[in-house]
Amino acid sequence: MNLMTGMLVTRYSYKHDIVFRVKNINGNKVLLHGEDIRLEADAPEEDLRILPEADVRKRQEEIKEKEEYSYRLFRQDYQLMKEKKEYEHKNQEPRNLQRFQLPVKVLHIDGDRLYLKKCIELYQRLGLQVHGVYVQEKDLPFEIDALIQKVQPEIMVVTGHDAYSETKGSKKDLAAYRNTRFFVEAVRQARSWSSNLDQLIIFAGACQSHFESLIRAGANFASSPDRVNIHALDPVYVVAKVAYTPFMEKVNVYDVLKNTLTGEKGLGGMETRGLYRTGLPYIETK
């Protein structure tokens, strides 16, 4: 088999359940990254099947359909919220007054360049400003302070790849996870910049991450309560829900999760105040 980095493959031993990209080949050991989920895995070369082009197209269509469904759900929620606020303003203010809104600053740090690109495209589609940075998971503790100081975000996402291995320990043991410890340390350092959970809102984790440790470290939202895989775009929907919830309202955790592709088995979090702020009057620049 002529295996090369970047190829899409599946594993015979797991009945071809997940599509991976070949990240690195070291002898017979192949490092794999999920194509649509934030999972990292190793496999021997003989366990891998190169995905035929017809299968690639079919799976891409299925994933695209799921992504569009989540996007439509979010847009429906956003439209309802917008109409509710506009109705309140019309009843409270003179009609000739126009409002403006303050953009929310998002810092998205990702351990996968392709996922980062996909996420940035979705942020832009949802009308959010984002500063996206690629950082390998193991380097997060060394990069986090400088990035926060530079961007001064109101929302921070720390994600990439992760995986739990039963052979390395119990689910309580952080040593049994590929990258959770790096996410935890990054969250802990970020939280030292702002101890207030409503002033710096943090999403952290990836597939199968140790949810409890991330929450204890100071994350508002994290993965993965049931140690299941999460979709590459799930962090963006969590961020968008917080960014478009009025700051006088709490973000209902279930409302956040229902528009993600993974749901409550893969994501969880705490009540958090929204960040959507409007002001008046709007002055047109001439």
Side-chain angles (χ1 to χ4, degrees):
M1 181 169 59
N2 189 20
L3 199 64
M4 295 183 291
T5 58
M7 280 184 167
L8 296 180
V9 298
T10 57
R11 296 176 294 181
Y12 286 104
S13 58
Y14 286 82
K15 299 180 180 178
H16 311 291
D17 60 340
I18 297 172
V19 178
F20 289 93
R21 272 181 290 112
V22 175
K23 180 66 175 178
N24 187 41
I25 304 171
N26 185 9
N28 189 46
K29 186 177 180 181
V30 183
L31 179 65
L32 305 170
H33 283 176
E35 176 66 1
D36 299 294
I37 61 174
R38 293 183 172 275
L39 181 67
E40 183 173 277
D42 294 315
E45 187 170 343
E46 60 268 18
D47 190 34
L48 301 178
R49 167 181 173 259
I50 296 175
L51 204 63
E53 188 62 33
D55 286 3
V56 171
R57 287 195 298 270
K58 181 182 177 183
R59 293 192 184 223
Q60 284 176 341
E61 289 171 3
E62 290 173 352
I63 289 295
K64 187 67 175 176
E65 187 177 332
K66 290 180 182 178
E67 291 175 357
E68 286 299 316
Y69 179 69
S70 286
Y71 177 76
R72 288 195 301 272
L73 284 179
F74 180 85
R75 292 298 302 181
Q76 287 171 10
D77 280 358
Y78 170 69
Q79 192 62 34
L80 286 173
M81 184 209 76
K82 185 178 178 183
E83 289 172 0
K84 177 185 173 184
K85 295 303 293 183
E86 287 176 351
Y87 178 77
E88 291 173 356
H89 293 155
K90 284 179 181 178
N91 288 341
Q92 297 169 2
E93 299 160 7
R95 291 190 177 183
N96 62 336
L97 280 179
Q98 283 186 287
R99 285 184 163 261
F100 62 88
Q101 70 180 69
L102 293 177
V104 174
K105 286 188 287 185
V106 180
L107 170 61
H108 183 114
I109 309 169
D110 210 311
D112 188 295
R113 293 184 190 276
L114 291 180
Y115 287 172
L116 178 61
K117 182 175 181 292
K118 287 182 180 180
C119 287
I120 288 175
E121 288 172 354
L122 182 56
Y123 281 118
Q124 292 173 342
R125 194 177 178 192
L126 293 169
L128 293 171
Q129 294 184 3
V130 60
H131 186 97
V133 184
Y134 164 71
V135 177
Q136 289 187 19
E137 294 85 352
K138 63 183 178 62
D139 295 328
L140 283 169
F142 308 105
E143 302 286 345
I144 201 75
D145 286 341
L147 288 170
I148 291 177
Q149 187 171 15
K150 177 182 177 181
V151 180
Q152 298 289 307
E154 292 153 297
I155 304 178
M156 186 184 77
V157 173
V158 184
T159 188
H161 304 93
D162 208 354
Y164 165 68
S165 176
E166 195 174 44
T167 60
K168 294 181 180 179
S170 71
K171 289 185 177 180
K172 296 180 180 180
D173 186 0
L174 285 189
Y177 297 80
R178 283 179 183 255
N179 291 316
T180 292
R181 62 191 182 280
F182 303 126
F183 295 138
V184 167
E185 183 56 34
V187 171
R188 191 174 290 121
Q189 288 182 225
R191 190 50 70 200
S192 70
W193 284 80
S194 176
S195 59
N196 190 322
L197 293 175
D198 292 322
Q199 288 183 355
L200 175 60
I201 294 167
I202 302 173
F203 174 97
C207 283
Q208 303 176 14
S209 293
H210 193 281
F211 171 78
E212 302 92 318
S213 292
L214 293 167
I215 292 295
R216 284 197 297 267
N220 299 68
F221 303 94
S223 61
S224 165
D226 279 16
R227 308 302 190 262
V228 299
N229 300 327
I230 71 168
H231 192 273
L233 299 178
D234 279 338
V236 180
Y237 285 113
V238 174
V239 167
K241 185 64 177 179
V242 175
Y244 284 123
T245 297
F247 85 101
M248 291 300 289
E249 298 178 14
K250 291 178 182 177
V251 177
N252 183 296
V253 177
Y254 177 72
D255 284 346
V256 173
L257 304 182
K258 72 179 183 181
N259 291 340
T260 63
L261 286 96
T262 304
E264 68 277 4
K265 290 187 176 182
L267 301 164
M270 298 181 292
E271 285 186 328
T272 300
R273 192 178 295 278
L275 292 176
Y276 186 81
R277 291 175 181 265
T278 60
L280 57 82
Y282 171 72
I283 307 297
E284 286 192 41
T285 54
K286 297 180 181 180

